[in-house]
Amino acid sequence: MDNIFVLFKNSSQIREFQSYMNSHHASTNFTSEIEYDNSLTFLNVKVIRNQNTFITSLYRMPTFSGVYNNYN
């Protein structure tokens, strides 16, 4: 699985890019996510769009318990 982070000016560009990428190989299936309330989570990072900059922070899913297995 590969992940890419791309910025577009409008939703039609998203559809164009997705179609273009998916047309290169039969097993390619790019999907997309749209920001909500100026933020998007990507690879456990919350990215917040703030004017001309981005603010990032660690993102934990609501199901995150903080419990880890002891390797030993």
Side-chain angles (χ1 to χ4, degrees):
M1 168 178 30
D2 289 328
N3 298 285
I4 60 174
F5 189 93
V6 182
L7 302 173
F8 294 103
K9 291 185 181 197
N10 59 56
S11 58
S12 65
Q13 290 178 326
I14 297 169
R15 288 188 297 276
E16 268 183 60
F17 178 76
Q18 200 169 337
S19 248
Y20 172 78
M21 295 301 286
N22 288 337
S23 71
H24 280 66
H25 196 277
S27 67
T28 301
N29 185 26
F30 272 79
T31 60
S32 58
E33 292 185 37
I34 307 296
E35 70 179 9
Y36 174 76
D37 199 22
N38 293 334
S39 71
L40 179 73
T41 56
F42 181 74
L43 300 176
N44 295 330
V45 175
K46 183 174 185 176
V47 180
I48 301 169
R49 185 171 48 92
N50 183 12
Q51 296 177 5
N52 293 328
T53 63
F54 294 100
I55 300 167
T56 59
S57 62
L58 183 62
Y59 174 76
R60 300 283 191 201
M61 294 181 70
T63 55
F64 177 73
S65 67
V67 176
Y68 295 92
N69 290 332
N70 186 344
Y71 177 74
N72 296 319

